[in-house]
Amino acid sequence: MQLHTPNRPKGSSAASVQQGPAGGRQRDTRPKRPSSALRRARSKGGLSRFAVFAAPGLLAYLAVVLVPIGMTTGYSLTNKNPFNPPTRWVGPDNLTSLVSDDEFLKALQNTVVITVIVTLVTNAGGMAVALLLDRRGWLYNALRSVFFVPVVLSAVVVSVIWQAILVDDGLLNTMLRQLGVSDPPGWLSDPSLALYTVSWVIAWQGLGFCVVIYLAGLQGIPQELYEAAAIDGCGPRMRFRQVTWPMLAPAVTINTVMSLIGGFKAYDQIQVLTNGGPGPGTTSTLAFQVIQTAFNGNHVGYASAMAVAMLALVATVSVIALGLLRKREVSS
């Protein structure tokens, strides 16, 4: 007797069962979904691989950044002085004392002046130089390297070179005397000029970084935008305002935030060029004041409070600037 097998619709589970040569059944060839246990094992394997690769960087960040910040915050709440034990808990007294500390307030004022000058000079100068170097040719490639050389040099080396140029009997004043200037300025010895001279040196060294970032932004602008603007009758100034400036918004964000951070943490140039002088605290910055208080005055607790205040100030200014500039990127 022959059994009648009803037809199965296509796409049913039996469609994937293959018949053997003798009509026997073979194994199901449909792809099987991995079990939940297998998926969990794969997930754990991915996490373990991520942990292996991320662990060195995380440990370095923990040891170099997070642990020192935690230790500094703890010291700021004490009167720690390694040469005058014992260490006592003073709470927020160190932080509140900063408000009435004339030296700290003067250093804060100098830091703000340096930061503003460095941010404006590096961004304006970097964009101008980048526009001039945004051309093809071996000469422009060589000039790009020349402008970037100060960035890779140590701040101490740069400061020593500029000190030889800017001291009263240095190269610059010698040239001015030969040109007929009988009493050239004291670039580093005049209290009214020293702060601006140091700001210029810091901005000069950071100029090359801004040039590279702006050049990368300029080379990423599609030429079709300039061609369309030229067809619409836009001149060079209008093309800069309507095409170049909006498209450089990400580069402006990077350079501005980096310049702000660089200005706030200026120390090496101050130490080499003026050592905080020529008058009392004339060119002293927050970073310089922290080092002097901690290592020359041995007041580690009070210096730690300065460092915590400096960290909070830099973080606040950077976050605000980043938020405002990112909004401009979106609107552009």
Side-chain angles (χ1 to χ4, degrees), residues 106 110 113-114 117-118 162 166-168 185-203 269-285:
K106 179 64 175 177
N110 294 338
V113 172
I114 291 175
I117 294 176
V118 169
W162 276 104
L166 296 172
V167 291
D168 292 343
W187 305 104
L188 298 176
S189 59
D190 188 348
S192 62
L193 291 177
L195 185 63
Y196 302 102
T197 302
V198 173
S199 302
W200 159 255
V201 174
I202 299 173
Q269 296 87 350
I270 307 296
Q271 178 67 47
V272 175
L273 291 173
T274 62
N275 195 26
T282 304
T283 57
S284 175
T285 60

Side-chain angles (χ1 to χ4, degrees), residues 32-324:
K32 296 181 179 181
R33 297 180 61 186
S35 63
S36 58
L38 182 58
R39 289 196 298 270
R40 287 195 298 270
R42 290 179 178 177
S43 177
K44 291 180 180 178
L47 290 176
S48 62
R49 286 194 297 270
F50 173 78
V52 168
F53 285 105
L58 293 177
L59 290 176
Y61 184 77
L62 178 67
V64 177
V65 178
L66 296 183
V67 171
I69 289 177
M71 294 177 61
T72 302
T73 304
Y75 288 154
S76 68
L77 302 176
T78 67
N79 67 336
K80 182 175 179 58
N81 186 332
F83 297 100
N84 188 19
T87 300
R88 293 184 296 102
W89 176 270
V90 298
D93 291 349
N94 287 333
L95 292 172
T96 55
S97 299
L98 296 177
V99 181
S100 57
D101 189 345
D102 294 336
E103 293 183 355
F104 176 79
L105 296 178
K106 179 64 175 177
L108 176 61
Q109 178 183 349
N110 294 338
T111 303
V112 172
V113 172
I114 291 175
T115 302
V116 171
I117 294 176
V118 169
T119 303
L120 293 178
V121 171
T122 54
N123 279 274
M127 184 174 294
V129 174
L131 290 171
L132 293 175
L133 298 182
D134 188 26
R135 290 167 176 79
R136 297 182 181 274
W138 65 269
L139 177 60
Y140 297 103
N141 294 333
L143 289 176
R144 293 172 191 173
S145 301
V146 169
F147 276 98
F148 193 72
V149 166
V151 180
V152 300
L153 294 178
S154 168
V156 175
V157 174
V158 171
S159 301
V160 169
I161 294 173
W162 276 104
Q163 186 181 43
I165 297 174
L166 296 172
V167 291
D168 292 343
D169 56 349
L171 178 63
L172 180 58
N173 282 352
T174 300
M175 294 176 60
L176 291 176
R177 292 188 183 95
Q178 292 178 353
L179 294 175
V181 179
S182 59
D183 189 17
W187 305 104
L188 298 176
S189 59
D190 188 348
S192 62
L193 291 177
L195 185 63
Y196 302 102
T197 302
V198 173
S199 302
W200 159 255
V201 174
I202 299 173
W204 179 85
Q205 185 174 10
L207 181 68
F209 179 84
C210 292
V211 171
V212 170
I213 299 299
Y214 282 131
L215 272 173
L218 289 171
Q219 293 176 359
I221 300 176
Q223 292 298 319
E224 292 81 1
L225 297 179
Y226 290 110
E227 295 172 0
I231 293 175
D232 290 340
C234 296
R237 292 185 180 180
M238 186 62 66
R239 287 198 296 270
F240 177 81
R241 291 179 55 188
Q242 300 299 328
V243 178
T244 305
W245 178 247
M247 295 297 290
L248 285 180
V252 173
T253 300
I254 295 174
N255 283 334
T256 301
V257 174
M258 295 301 293
S259 299
L260 287 172
I261 296 174
F264 271 108
K265 67 182 184 69
Y267 168 75
D268 297 351
Q269 296 87 350
I270 307 296
Q271 178 67 47
V272 175
L273 291 173
T274 62
N275 195 26
T282 304
T283 57
S284 175
T285 60
L286 290 179
F288 181 83
Q289 195 66 27
V290 168
I291 299 299
Q292 292 296 310
T293 304
F295 295 99
N296 289 358
N298 298 317
H299 299 296
V300 177
Y302 194 63
S304 298
M306 291 184 182
V308 170
M310 176 181 170
L311 175 63
L313 178 62
V314 173
T316 302
V317 172
S318 300
V319 169
I320 293 175
L322 186 60
L324 295 176

